[in-house]
Amino acid sequence: MDKSIFAVVGGDARQIALANMLAAEGITVYCSGFEHALEQLVGTASTDPITALLMADTVILPMPPTRDGRTLNAPMSTYSIMLDDEFCMTLIGKTVFAGVAGKLREVSPNYAQLNIYDYYADESFLLRNAQATAEGALAEIISNYPRTVCGSRILLTGCGRITRFLAPMLRSIGGKISVAARRQSDRSMIVSMGMDAMTFGKAMRRARDFDIIINTVPAPVIDKGFVDALTPEAFLIDLASAPGGIDLEACKKRNIRAFQSLGLPGRYSPVTAAEIIKETVMSILEEG
């Protein structure tokens, strides 16, 4: 592959590892938005966002590129990086990569005119990222739940990629697994894997039976009525993207432990997560 100049702008530990990997291959990499972690960058050049974009042929933005619809997702930056017209215009003529690229287009219609590739839309990326997310979810449970997974009654809501990795993982260490899914085909698959499957209605009726609930559905499936039916000792984790699927306010009012866990690969396996992004980006570039 032609070693063009890259810019890695914004993001978390995943993007730092990504920048280091690219630099280790002899690629010129400009970074921006990592002022709180400059000591972790190796072989790259750190500068302001606009300069980084101007110097690069290929730009890699984080996943998601924005959380508030106005600024770049850059938790390691000392200041807000605005996704304004200047930022957008600087990307003209560049090959741009972002995870959930539609978030950029929601900021301004001007972003729709850019050559943006969504690495989150790649099926290989999605599968490998789901596996890393599942491992991160297991780490979250072990770190925050006061009991062992072994023997715990666990409900997963939704039957997407994360659940398909996480459910067998939890079962393998002794968790008693149930999965709530809308589609009959998904429920049949779960049953074929030797686990309990049910509708969301049945899950709500059985709410008191579960010690741990892990949501993967980006819709309000664990609403106030569901929360009111839980035991006070229940432990909930929401893995779904904002706004999530668990009524966290209802949980708070009942003193039920519940929180949203986003970006788990970036927290628990940033090097692997960076490898997944890098391989996806390089594959897209090679395919032209």
Side-chain angles (χ1 to χ4, degrees):
M1 188 205 73
D2 179 30
K3 293 184 177 180
S4 61
I5 299 174
F6 280 66
V8 178
V9 183
D12 52 28
R14 287 171 286 192
Q15 279 69 39
I16 289 177
L18 172 62
N20 291 343
M21 287 178 190
L22 293 170
E25 294 187 3
I27 297 172
T28 300
V29 183
Y30 288 88
C31 293
S32 190
F34 304 107
E35 290 80 15
H36 289 306
L38 290 178
E39 71 284 355
Q40 298 178 35
L41 290 166
V42 180
T44 68
S46 296
T47 184
D48 64 275
I50 299 302
T51 298
L53 299 181
L54 287 171
M55 296 298 294
D57 305 303
T58 302
V59 177
I60 304 179
L61 301 177
M63 181 183 76
T66 181
R67 294 195 183 279
D68 62 10
R70 298 181 300 104
T71 62
L72 187 69
N73 175 16
M76 295 184 174
S77 177
T78 56
Y79 58 92
S80 295
I81 301 174
M82 301 303 299
L83 294 172
D84 53 18
D85 288 343
E86 181 183 15
F87 191 99
C88 182
M89 290 178 63
T90 309
L91 293 174
I92 295 175
K94 315 290 183 179
T95 300
V96 184
F97 292 88
V100 196
K103 294 285 186 182
L104 273 179
R105 300 183 185 101
E106 292 174 3
V107 173
S108 165
N110 292 331
Y111 282 97
Q113 311 304 314
L114 302 177
N115 184 26
I116 304 177
Y117 293 91
D118 188 348
Y119 54 80
Y120 189 70
D122 182 86
E123 182 62 24
S124 176
F125 174 91
L126 290 170
L127 286 171
R128 296 180 66 190
N129 192 69
Q131 184 174 26
T133 300
E135 289 191 23
L138 176 58
E140 288 278 84
I141 294 169
I142 292 173
S143 299
N144 295 284
Y145 182 59
R147 297 181 180 274
T148 60
V149 170
C150 182
S152 293
R153 301 164 298 175
I154 303 171
L155 172 70
L156 291 97
T157 52
C159 194
R161 299 176 187 86
I162 295 172
T163 291
R164 297 182 192 195
F165 283 111
L166 184 55
M169 194 181 296
L170 294 169
R171 185 181 63 168
S172 71
I173 53 177
K176 300 176 181 179
I177 309 302
S178 298
V179 177
R182 297 194 186 281
R183 295 190 296 184
Q184 177 62 45
S185 58
D186 288 335
R187 296 196 295 271
S188 296
M189 182 196 67
I190 292 299
V191 171
S192 72
M193 295 169 65
M195 292 176 283
D196 189 22
M198 62 190 68
T199 63
F200 282 91
K202 183 177 180 180
M204 182 172 177
R205 293 191 295 273
R206 286 185 50 191
R208 295 187 65 83
D209 293 344
F210 303 113
D211 304 305
I212 301 172
I213 296 179
I214 305 164
N215 175 60
T216 67
V217 181
V221 292
I222 311 295
D223 57 16
K224 182 179 183 301
F226 200 124
V227 171
D228 287 343
L230 297 170
T231 67
E233 295 78 24
F235 177 78
L236 288 76
I237 298 179
D238 200 340
L239 303 181
S241 56
I246 297 175
D247 189 333
L248 298 177
E249 187 61 31
C251 291
K252 182 178 180 181
K253 289 179 179 178
R254 289 201 59 209
N255 292 318
I256 291 175
R257 292 195 66 193
F259 55 95
Q260 191 172 38
S261 291
L262 301 176
L264 291 178
R267 290 162 52 195
Y268 289 102
S269 52
V271 173
T272 297
E275 289 173 346
I276 297 169
I277 296 172
K278 176 177 174 291
E279 290 173 15
T280 304
V281 167
M282 293 307 187
S283 177
I284 293 172
L285 286 173
E286 289 171 2
E287 291 173 2

